[in-house]
Amino acid sequence: MSEGVHTDPHALDELSDVASAEHAGVGADGAVEGYAARRTLRLGVELRRQLKRRRTQFLLGFVALLPFILVIAFEAGQSNPNRRSGGFVDLATASAPNFVVLALFVSGTFLLPMIVALFFGDTIASEASWSSLKYLLAVPVPRQRVLRQKAIVSGLLSAFALVLLPLVSLGVGVLWYGAGDAISPTGDAVSFGDSLLAIALSTVYIILQLAWVAGLALALSVSTDAPLGAVGGAVLVAILSQILDQITALEGLRNYLPTHYAFSWMDLISTDVDWTNLASGMLSAVLYGTVFFLYAGRRFARKDITS
């Protein structure tokens, strides 16, 4: 009796017939018949992958928890809910809209740019750090589709986080401080309904204004295999821009800094809205964001993927 591997001769003949009958046709674009790039790396698949990651869950959880931390801080301290004058911090407990404004104001310097930088800066660099990017492209998924799909998912997650903060803050503010008028530092009283519209427009402005952070983080993400370097680099540039914006000796040069108009949304919390700074902020973000996104696309298309 032979000690070798026994194979049924009939099975071998059947496999040979099947193999000879197979034909891998070639489509008009040169790809194998049946292959369609649009079917690879679908948004739903990538979105579920990102939602299952601990960093996404932790970040969204922290954003939802932040308004409660602010309430605890005010309750632990001494705040007067009947104040009608002062800065945004002094007026935070005057009404729910004022509480939302405070949450956006204290988060605008570091947290909001960090959220966008984390989602966009980690998206490509993390795949490279896991040595899975080259296998993803070998599926094959076109490079520009990989970049586009991941950028869209990062944008959706960033927008969700930036919308989640004012929504939770509004609910918490209504429970603790009531649905009263929004009081601006200038003493203007904006009705609750109008203040909700102003908050919605402010949120949209913040999302669009942070497009430059998204573009920069994505550009860094395709340029390095270290996610922390891409995220940290974008946050560092945002902080540096804010520091330079405080130097009055720069005078008009500050208008060209990407963060100069970061807080222009506060002009919406007024009975007489000045749209000048808002329009300038939108234009600045679009220009910076476009340059960074185009560079990211060009860099990723020519990059030698080794990891």
Side-chain angles (χ1 to χ4, degrees), residues 258-276:
T259 58
H260 182 71
Y261 300 100
F263 291 93
S264 295
W265 58 267
M266 292 188 293
D267 293 340
L268 294 167
I269 314 299
S270 174
T271 55
D272 186 16
V273 179
D274 183 3
W275 297 94
T276 303

Side-chain angles (χ1 to χ4, degrees), residues 32-211:
V32 177
E33 287 183 351
Y35 169 78
R38 65 180 182 277
R39 297 178 182 174
T40 60
L41 195 62
R42 296 185 177 181
L43 284 178
V45 175
E46 179 64 18
L47 184 59
R48 286 193 294 271
R49 287 183 65 237
Q50 296 302 325
L51 287 174
K52 290 179 181 179
R53 294 187 60 184
R54 290 292 179 86
R55 62 102 159 120
T56 302
Q57 298 170 359
F58 174 79
L59 184 59
L60 295 178
F62 177 77
V63 170
L65 185 63
L66 180 59
F68 295 95
I69 296 176
L70 294 177
V71 166
I72 294 174
F74 281 111
E75 293 297 320
Q78 296 180 355
S79 61
N80 182 5
N82 298 317
R83 294 194 63 159
R84 309 289 291 185
S85 63
F88 284 109
V89 177
D90 300 321
L91 297 169
T93 58
S95 64
N98 279 93
F99 184 72
V100 177
V101 171
L102 171 76
L104 294 174
F105 177 72
V106 299
S107 305
T109 302
F110 177 76
L111 179 61
L112 300 186
M114 187 272 292
I115 290 174
V116 177
L118 179 62
F119 284 126
F120 279 89
D122 182 71
T123 184
I124 297 294
S126 61
E127 296 283 356
S129 67
W130 299 332
S131 297
S132 59
L133 183 58
K134 58 185 178 182
Y135 299 107
L136 184 63
L137 296 175
V139 168
V141 185
R143 289 195 180 199
Q144 293 306 315
R145 182 172 177 82
V146 171
L147 188 64
R148 182 177 69 249
Q149 298 295 86
K150 286 185 170 292
I152 292 175
V153 170
S154 298
L156 291 175
L157 292 174
S158 298
F160 178 74
L162 296 177
V163 170
L164 181 64
L165 178 59
L167 280 180
V168 177
S169 299
L170 181 63
V172 172
V174 169
L175 290 176
W176 261 269
Y177 308 118
D181 296 341
I183 309 301
S184 69
T186 59
D188 294 335
V190 182
S191 66
F192 182 72
D194 291 340
S195 65
L196 292 183
L197 177 60
I199 290 172
L201 292 176
S202 298
T203 304
V204 172
Y205 175 82
I206 291 173
I207 293 174
L208 296 178
Q209 203 280 326
L210 288 174

